Amino acid sequence: MSTPQLFVAAAHKCLRAGRKALSVPQSLNLAAQVLAVDLGLKPALLYDSNGASAEQLHQYVNSLQSLQLVSNSLLTLDLNGNSLIVNPGTVQSNLEQVLCDSSLAVIDVSHSLEKPAIRNSPREELESMTQALLSLLGEFQQLQGAENPLYVGEKCEEWNLCTAFGLLLGYPITYWFDQNKSFENCLSMTPLMVITVSVTWQAGHRCCLYSFSIPEALHEEMRPNLENWKLFLQERYEQQHILKDLTISQSIVTLPSVCL
């Protein structure tokens, strides 16, 4: 079997939700993203292809590792019911950088605001969350060949998961809102700049590695964060030879509602 066929077979075997298995295009897209995580092009992958559990995702990663398609360093994380595949080295490096130089911009999109704004007010919460994630990953890495995913339950109940995902997925900006007051946000009908990063894998399969947004009105203030992030991504891309044709594009969208 070819490498793509092995990835597809592993997905069909491990990630079935009820009677529904991933399609071949979905399996290939997942494979390219997992390879990107393994190569350090992205620190983590939030799995949302179907309703497969964290345990099934863990079995999928173990299957790829046994076939030597990915390294043994990849971990599976269950964050309050959300499943992620994590490159612990890349995530730890990113989190340490956030603590060191505040490289991650935080945009407050609380529903009570008239418009999104860059805020320092959630900084303490962000640092606490970052330290907790670093501690959890450090503990988990000491368990060689863990039989189960890393479950983050009670420790993350007070976290703003939107902010946590921004941290784990390596975005240069992340959204925050006061969830004690409302889970809604102020992004309705706000022009958003959507940043998309895609690559090509074997047989010309095109895959989206990143897709995130920033309010267009804050683009100039966010430009240094975005440019530094793009340079770092380009450096990582040039250090590998599996994924090709790195493309970074942007577009403007305005939506009646935005779910975070």
Side-chain angles (χ1 to χ4, degrees):
M1 296 176 71
S2 67
T3 296
Q5 288 174 329
L6 289 171
F7 272 100
V8 170
H12 284 181
K13 177 183 177 182
C14 302
L15 297 175
R16 183 178 296 273
R19 295 182 178 181
K20 186 175 181 180
L22 296 184
S23 67
V24 171
Q26 285 177 314
S27 299
L28 291 174
N29 183 68
L30 176 61
Q33 295 206 50
V34 172
L35 285 170
V37 173
D38 196 37
L39 294 166
L41 267 177
K42 57 187 297 182
L45 163 67
L46 178 61
Y47 182 80
D48 58 1
S49 297
N50 66 356
S53 66
E55 290 85 356
Q56 289 174 291
L57 193 63
H58 188 70
Q59 292 171 5
Y60 170 72
V61 172
N62 283 347
S63 177
L64 299 182
Q65 290 170 334
S66 67
L67 293 168
Q68 299 184 337
L69 295 174
V70 298
S71 69
N72 290 328
S73 62
L74 294 185
L75 303 177
T76 311
L77 172 68
D78 183 295
L79 185 60
N80 200 26
N82 300 279
S83 302
L84 299 99
I85 297 174
V86 173
N87 181 323
T90 306
V91 169
Q92 286 178 329
S93 177
N94 286 0
L95 294 178
E96 289 167 356
Q97 193 72 23
V98 169
L99 291 175
C100 179
D101 62 7
S102 301
S103 57
L104 179 69
V106 180
I107 298 179
D108 188 345
V109 293
S110 296
H111 186 60
S112 58
L113 298 178
E114 291 186 8
K115 59 182 180 180
I118 300 171
R119 285 287 187 265
N120 291 320
S121 54
R123 205 79 220 174
E124 184 176 336
E125 178 186 344
L126 181 69
E127 291 178 359
S128 174
M129 191 187 306
T130 303
Q131 292 280 16
L133 286 169
L134 280 169
S135 177
L136 285 166
L137 286 173
E139 293 173 7
F140 196 61
Q141 281 184 276
Q142 295 176 7
L143 303 175
Q144 296 295 326
E147 296 182 359
N148 298 299
L150 169 60
Y151 286 93
V152 187
E154 293 181 1
K155 293 183 180 181
C156 71
E157 287 181 355
E158 301 300 320
W159 293 357
N160 185 304
L161 291 183
C162 178
T163 307
F165 291 145
L167 272 172
L168 288 167
L169 299 177
Y171 296 158
I173 68 100
T174 188
Y175 290 135
W176 179 89
F177 51 86
D178 189 346
Q179 62 188 32
N180 293 318
K181 295 182 178 179
S182 174
F183 280 87
E184 297 183 30
N185 59 70
C186 62
L187 294 177
S188 173
M189 301 311 295
T190 298
L192 300 174
M193 177 176 289
V194 179
I195 312 296
T196 303
V197 178
S198 59
V199 292
T200 299
W201 189 39
Q202 293 189 18
H205 183 80
R206 197 74 182 158
C207 170
C208 176
L209 294 187
Y210 289 92
S211 182
F212 60 89
S213 69
I214 61 172
E216 185 185 20
L218 298 177
H219 178 233
E220 284 304 314
E221 292 179 78
M222 296 290 96
R223 188 183 294 275
N225 296 72
L226 285 171
E227 293 304 317
N228 289 336
W229 179 80
K230 289 177 183 178
L231 286 173
F232 179 77
L233 183 63
Q234 185 69 40
E235 290 174 0
R236 285 295 182 104
Y237 170 74
E238 292 173 355
Q239 292 170 7
Q240 56 83 47
H241 305 286
I242 295 175
L243 302 174
K244 309 290 185 181
D245 305 322
L246 178 72
T247 302
I248 303 175
S249 60
Q250 59 189 49
S251 60
I252 305 298
V253 301
T254 304
L255 303 171
S257 64
V258 178
C259 181
L260 299 178

